[in-house]
Amino acid sequence: GVGSNLVINEVMNNPLNEQNGEFIELGNSSAASIELAGLFISDGDQTDELIAYNAGPTLLASGQVALILDRDFAGNYEIPAGTVLLTTADAHLGNGLAVTDPIALYEADGVSPIDTWTVPFNPGNGVSVEKVNVAVNDTVANWQANDCASGSSPGLANCVSYVPIPAGTTDLYISEVMSNPLDEATGE
């Protein structure tokens, strides 16, 4: 299967236009391309198979992001050219995303989880929720309301993204060393 290198990293669950403004952004952190068609997305109420949006490509290259849009997306957001776009067969993502709906991304079997957003909240009308650090699991502290001027960043780098400690900083220190373990071969 796809495995854990495909992550949900932004969700618009309270768009200005509830009929066609929802989106879910996926990021590919693996070294290989990932085929997205045939995977499943769920809002806890309904599970939908991902299909190409307007017969576009469904292969997501390494390091790139894809958007799952409402089938009737009406240009609510400016999306960068070349972004892989997906949708579902019916008019909504799941049963229509709500601010209390958890999101789950599943393998092509429709059962095996790839990634989740289990701590939904209302970031405000027209504001998306973003994963702070894509390398960290789905925790309350790892999701924040988008702080871009536009309120969302579909197809772009997240505005609340994790920033590592800069090289050469004096705030980083070694906090513990095991130099004499019981098993010298494997315990250091």
Side-chain angles (χ1 to χ4, degrees):
V2 171
S4 62
N5 291 318
L6 186 61
V7 297
I8 300 168
N9 62 14
E10 186 174 2
V11 176
M12 177 58 82
N13 64 344
N14 189 5
L16 293 175
N17 185 332
E18 299 286 341
Q19 298 306 308
N20 56 28
E22 299 171 340
F23 71 80
I24 299 169
E25 185 179 79
L26 306 176
N28 179 359
S29 61
S30 77
S33 295
I34 298 175
E35 177 57 52
L36 301 176
L39 299 180
F40 289 84
I41 197 80
S42 176
D43 69 348
D45 298 317
Q46 182 174 316
T47 301
D48 295 310
E49 185 175 1
L50 298 181
I51 59 175
Y53 180 81
N54 287 342
T58 58
L59 189 65
L60 184 61
S62 173
Q64 300 298 306
V65 297
L67 292 173
I68 306 169
L69 303 169
D70 281 317
R71 186 187 69 203
D72 297 326
F73 176 70
N76 312 59
Y77 315 101
E78 188 172 324
I79 299 173
T83 302
V84 173
L85 303 176
L86 302 143
T87 192
T88 61
D90 64 11
H92 297 288
L93 304 183
N95 194 29
L97 300 183
V99 296
T100 57
D101 285 344
I103 307 294
L105 177 66
Y106 295 106
E107 298 277 2
D109 64 6
V111 178
S112 304
I114 297 171
D115 197 24
T116 58
W117 178 42
T118 58
V119 291
F121 63 93
N122 184 356
N125 197 15
V127 177
S128 67
V129 176
E130 295 182 329
K131 198 170 207 178
V132 177
N133 183 347
V134 297
V136 174
N137 291 333
D138 179 25
T139 64
V140 172
N142 201 31
W143 290 95
Q144 294 181 15
N146 180 298
D147 59 4
C148 292
S150 64
S152 64
S153 58
L156 301 169
N158 287 355
C159 292
V160 298
S161 293
Y162 168 75
V163 178
I165 297 171
T169 182
T170 57
D171 294 336
L172 184 63
Y173 56 92
I174 298 170
S175 62
E176 185 174 1
V177 175
M178 173 56 84
S179 59
N180 190 15
L182 294 175
D183 183 346
E184 294 286 340
T186 61
E188 295 179 344

